[in-house]
Amino acid sequence: LALALNVDPEAHKDEHVPYSAETLRMFREQAKWGQQQEREFRVFAANEGEKRLRFKPMPSHQRAFLHALAEDFGFDSESMDPEPHRHVAVFKTPRFVMAPMKTLAECVRIRLNAESAAADALEEERRLRWNNEAYNAFFLTFPRFGLTIEELRSELSGQLQAAQGIIFEIAFLPSEEIVIKGKAATPSTNISALALEAAIKTMKPSVANIISTKRLASTCQLCTLDSSLNVVRKELDSRVNADGWSRVAAKAAAPRSAPKQTGVGEKSVYTVLGSKLKDAKRKKEEMEKAKVQEPLVDDWEEEVRREEEELNRKEGAQRADQMEEQTAEDGERRANGEAS
């Protein structure tokens, strides 16, 4: 069949998944146990003399996995006996040819890679569509405190009314930013998205000038709104996507400026810093020279013995002083007793 259709089997072998989506889903929920059951199926498929394979009793969700796997192998399966002894029996049929070439784990990886590639493609498509959405509104950030829609409409009335066939709706977003959305003046007016974008781009310099001059808001940029006033695209975001990395690369490649040359008689910052370091080093050397270094001991055992003798002498003198004080106190008490 592949030869008749001029199809290379090797080119499609890696993407083919011989298991149903339900089988892969149940396998992912209990992968380790599922691999053990798959091994039993493959041993059974490889043994031409075996016609029936019985499994031990198990819960219903595990029996469901065995039934799904048997269907993928080309086997017949049947649940037997009532609970709690209900089990699955698998039978070989004429439609069985051979076990699938790929394991369940391999097919799970293939399916995950395919889902990831599809998600990336969808994200790329969304990004391209997002960048191509026509502008249909003005987007004002950080509006002046207390600014009302009526006040803003009054200030921009000349610019907003100048666009023929277009009316503008002003609304506050939950983020406290303001959008001014343009649309056809009447249902019968036919204006394309590109024509609306061109009119708004023409109006932007004058609108932005009034907003900046009268300090109505911080910035004014173009944006795309959907029917629910959700911001789909913003002008500044589009610029970042378009040349954001180029700006970063340009900053990274900016030439380094040469150090400023000092005039005659002027002190460079490097000279001042060097003199401070030199003074600190000189002071440190003087402090090290001023330290009194203890002489090194040649015989440390003799030194330890001498220190012990000195310590014993001091302790003996201290005990003698205590005995003299005690004797004096005793004599004083006896003298006081005789006098009384």
Side-chain angles (χ1 to χ4, degrees):
L1 181 61
L3 182 61
L5 296 177
N6 195 23
V7 175
D8 183 8
E10 296 296 327
H12 299 272
K13 185 173 66 174
D14 291 340
E15 292 82 7
H16 176 63
V17 175
Y19 304 99
S20 66
E22 184 65 13
T23 303
L24 295 179
R25 182 191 66 80
M26 291 188 287
F27 174 77
R28 291 172 64 178
E29 294 176 354
Q30 43 190 353
K32 187 174 181 180
W33 177 85
Q35 286 178 333
Q36 296 174 355
Q37 311 314 310
E38 181 188 6
R39 192 177 302 113
E40 295 288 337
F41 270 73
R42 291 188 177 278
V43 172
F44 174 61
N47 191 338
E48 297 181 357
E50 292 289 336
K51 300 300 180 182
R52 186 179 68 170
L53 175 64
R54 293 181 59 180
F55 290 86
K56 64 181 182 179
M58 60 185 62
S60 60
H61 68 278
Q62 293 181 342
R63 296 198 303 268
F65 172 75
L66 295 182
H67 288 302
L69 188 58
E71 181 68 23
D72 295 333
F73 269 72
F75 298 148
D76 279 350
S77 61
E78 183 180 352
S79 292
M80 299 181 175
D81 295 341
E83 298 288 0
H85 305 291
R86 196 161 182 79
H87 63 279
V88 174
V90 176
F91 308 92
K92 287 181 180 177
T93 63
R95 65 189 181 94
F96 167 71
V97 179
M98 61 180 297
M101 297 296 293
K102 294 187 179 68
T103 64
L104 285 166
E106 291 174 341
C107 291
V108 166
R109 286 194 294 270
I110 292 173
R111 188 60 58 84
L112 290 177
N113 292 337
E115 292 175 356
S116 177
D120 293 342
L122 184 62
E123 177 63 23
E124 180 66 15
E125 181 183 355
R126 187 200 65 81
R127 187 185 65 81
L128 293 175
R129 186 173 63 251
W130 183 83
N131 285 335
N132 293 327
E133 288 282 349
Y135 295 122
N136 59 3
F138 297 103
F139 185 82
L140 310 184
T141 62
F142 302 104
R144 188 181 67 199
F145 180 76
L147 181 65
T148 63
I149 292 179
E150 291 75 15
E151 182 181 0
L152 182 60
R153 185 179 297 277
S154 174
E155 296 289 352
L156 299 176
S157 60
Q159 283 69 29
L160 299 182
Q161 293 175 3
Q164 296 182 356
I166 302 175
I167 60 174
F168 290 88
E169 296 179 350
I170 304 176
F172 277 90
L173 299 179
S175 58
E176 298 185 357
E177 292 155 328
I178 301 176
V179 290
I180 308 174
K181 183 180 180 181
K183 65 177 184 178
T186 62
S188 60
T189 304
N190 186 15
I191 181 171
S192 65
L194 294 178
L196 178 59
E197 180 184 55
I200 290 178
K201 285 184 175 180
T202 303
M203 296 168 55
K204 184 190 174 183
S206 59
V207 172
N209 182 50
I210 293 178
I211 290 174
S212 175
T213 303
K214 299 190 176 183
R215 297 183 179 181
L216 301 176
S218 177
T219 62
C220 173
Q221 55 182 296
L222 304 180
C223 73
T224 304
L225 301 176
D226 61 13
S227 58
S228 301
L229 296 184
N230 295 315
V231 179
V232 179
R233 175 191 177 197
K234 285 191 295 185
E235 185 177 18
L236 293 183
D237 294 340
S238 300
R239 291 177 181 175
V240 170
N241 289 336
D243 61 354
W245 175 248
S246 300
R247 292 175 183 270
V248 174
K251 289 182 179 180
R256 298 181 180 179
S257 58
K260 183 180 178 181
Q261 299 292 334
T262 57
V264 179
E266 296 182 2
K267 289 187 176 181
S268 170
V269 64
Y270 303 107
T271 304
V272 175
L273 180 59
S275 62
K276 289 184 178 180
L277 292 176
K278 185 176 181 181
D279 293 341
K281 184 177 180 180
R282 179 176 52 79
K283 290 182 180 179
K284 183 177 179 181
E285 292 176 352
E286 292 177 355
M287 291 177 63
E288 290 179 352
K289 290 181 180 179
K291 290 182 180 179
V292 178
Q293 298 182 354
E294 297 182 358
L296 298 176
V297 179
D298 295 333
D299 190 352
W300 63 271
E301 294 181 348
E302 179 65 22
E303 181 66 19
V304 171
R305 186 186 63 78
R306 189 161 44 248
E307 290 180 355
E308 290 179 351
E309 291 179 354
E310 181 67 19
L311 180 61
N312 292 334
R313 185 185 64 78
K314 290 181 179 179
E315 292 179 352
Q318 185 176 4
R319 286 196 295 271
D321 294 340
Q322 293 176 352
M323 291 178 63
E324 290 180 0
E325 292 177 358
Q326 185 66 31
T327 302
E329 291 177 357
D330 293 343
E332 185 177 354
R333 282 197 295 270
R334 285 197 298 271
N336 292 336
E338 293 175 356
S340 60

